[in-house]
Amino acid sequence: MILKLVARRLAMLVFVLFGVVVLTFFISRLIPTDPARLIAGDFASEEVVEQIRVELGFDRSLFEQFWIHVGNLLQGDLGTSITTGQPVLQDLATYAPATVELAVAAMMIAVIGGILLGVLSAVYKDGWIDNLVRVVALTGVSTPSFWLALLFLLLFYGTLGWFPAGGRIDPTLAPLDRISGLYLVDSIVALRPDAFLSALTHLVLPASCLGLITMGVFARLIRASLLEELGRAYIRTFRSIGLAEHRVVFGHALPNALTPFVTQLGLSFAAMLTGAVVTEAIFGWPGMGGYILQATQSLDFPAIIGFTIIVGVIYAVLNLVINIAYLFLDPRLRSGAVK
């Protein structure tokens, strides 16, 4: 049954996450730095450092520390950040909404633009539209994100003055009550059109920078997959009976061509959530990228380990969602699951 297949995927998810926990913990212990000294500071006495080491359990054996770490994780405790002095989970919850808002907006740009360009390129194969789309897609794939971000700032902020240079909202506006942490959502709930417009204009440049690069990947993938579907026998049959071309493309070929696209969609969204460090840094976007960059520079082990575990959870969960989506996109997988 399909439920059995989902249950197997969930069991694999548990093993993957346990593997992530094992790797992150033991790799962090291989780094030749004393966490207790980092927490205490350079000028703390050895007595203070030793007291911190005992309180945090660093005086115990490595395996004892590991199982204490696992027990804390099961209770939702990712540790306390050395840099901020706050629980890592609380820090990530503070910065995550900004990253989620940026990633969702960028993904919308990438999906809509990628599918549109990919379909146009496949339908008008070897024509001028196809050649133009392929050049645009190749340019997007090969363009470094930092260069595109700086170009956007130079053109749309420095020259044209259409969009702000960075941040999430105009600091001169009245503070926006935090409900979800997503400024577009919170401004709608609070009936604040001024805040909504400001948040939207601040979002355009970083989301476009992040989305256009991924859009090139999507366009190439959709083009290749759709061309393969358009060459199949069932498509020729539909055309021979006089079915309208738009129904052939959008009603039959495109849905079947989206199956490999789903995998790239999930992986790209996970990458946007966890790897938009450069984009966030250039546009001053207060998301998880800036947080983990600061943690890495200051050797904030609890923050680094906690963020890595969250990344593992995101990838594992999205992989599970992709596998379940395959069951609905491909009837052959459903029949195989039932058998």
Side-chain angles (χ1 to χ4, degrees):
M1 297 295 291
I2 295 180
L3 291 179
K4 290 184 179 180
L5 182 63
V6 174
R8 287 199 296 269
R9 294 289 188 270
L10 285 173
M12 291 177 59
L13 176 65
V14 174
F15 283 107
V16 168
L17 293 179
F18 184 75
V20 171
V21 171
V22 172
L23 288 175
T24 54
F25 177 82
F26 285 102
I27 289 177
S28 69
R29 293 306 189 268
L30 294 176
I31 300 175
T33 302
D34 186 1
R37 169 60 67 180
L38 288 175
I39 296 173
D42 296 334
F43 302 102
S45 65
E46 288 299 326
E47 291 77 9
V48 173
V49 174
E50 185 61 29
Q51 181 181 355
I52 294 176
R53 186 177 291 112
V54 172
E55 290 177 353
L56 298 179
F58 292 137
D59 60 324
R60 305 187 184 186
S61 68
L62 195 60
F63 287 98
E64 283 184 296
Q65 294 180 43
F66 173 71
W67 290 115
I68 292 174
H69 177 62
V70 171
N72 292 335
L73 290 178
L74 292 176
Q75 299 177 40
D77 183 7
L78 297 179
T80 301
S81 169
I82 298 174
T83 305
T84 66
Q86 301 292 328
V88 173
L89 190 60
Q90 180 179 327
D91 284 344
L92 292 177
T94 300
Y95 292 103
T99 299
V100 170
E101 191 169 48
L102 175 61
V104 170
M107 185 56 63
M108 291 176 63
I109 294 173
V111 169
I112 295 173
I115 292 178
L116 178 61
L117 293 179
V119 170
L120 288 174
S121 183
V123 170
Y124 298 100
K125 180 186 176 183
D126 296 329
W128 69 269
I129 294 180
D130 181 27
N131 293 330
L132 179 61
V133 170
R134 292 167 70 179
V135 170
V136 172
L138 182 60
T139 302
V141 172
S142 57
T143 301
S145 59
F146 73 89
W147 186 87
L148 186 60
L150 293 175
L151 178 64
F152 277 13
L153 283 175
L154 176 63
L155 178 60
F156 296 107
Y157 169 70
T159 303
L160 300 175
W162 290 355
F163 300 102
R168 293 185 68 191
I169 197 169
D170 189 343
T172 62
L173 294 178
L176 186 64
D177 293 335
R178 182 185 176 94
I179 301 173
S180 65
L182 307 174
Y183 281 7
L184 293 179
V185 175
D186 291 350
S187 59
I188 293 174
V189 174
L191 300 178
R192 289 278 307 277
D194 58 334
F196 179 85
L197 182 60
S198 177
L200 183 61
T201 54
H202 281 76
L203 182 62
V204 169
L205 289 186
S208 298
C209 175
L210 201 59
L212 288 177
I213 295 175
T214 307
M215 184 179 70
V217 177
F218 288 172
R220 298 178 67 186
L221 182 61
I222 289 293
R223 178 186 184 275
S225 183
L226 186 56
L227 283 176
E228 183 179 353
E229 288 298 322
L230 290 174
R232 295 187 183 277
Y234 77 94
I235 294 296
R236 292 194 295 270
T237 301
F238 286 139
R239 284 171 171 166
S240 66
I241 63 176
L243 193 65
E245 185 66 16
H246 70 276
R247 294 186 60 186
V248 172
V249 174
F250 293 101
H252 299 279
L254 184 58
N256 293 330
L258 289 178
T259 301
F261 170 71
V262 171
T263 300
Q264 189 61 49
L265 179 68
L267 295 177
S268 296
F269 186 62
M272 287 180 179
L273 285 173
T274 59
V277 178
V278 174
T279 302
E280 290 187 357
I282 292 177
F283 288 101
W285 195 262
M288 291 191 296
Y291 172 73
I292 195 60
L293 180 62
Q294 181 183 7
T296 304
Q297 293 172 341
S298 58
L299 292 179
D300 191 343
F301 292 109
I304 296 172
I305 294 175
F307 178 77
T308 305
I309 292 173
I310 293 298
V311 170
V313 171
I314 291 174
Y315 272 95
V317 170
L318 285 177
N319 187 59
L320 175 64
V321 172
I322 290 169
N323 289 328
I324 295 175
Y326 274 157
L327 298 178
F328 296 94
L329 291 174
D330 194 336
R332 294 169 297 181
L333 293 178
R334 289 202 298 271
S335 62
V338 173
K339 292 177 181 179

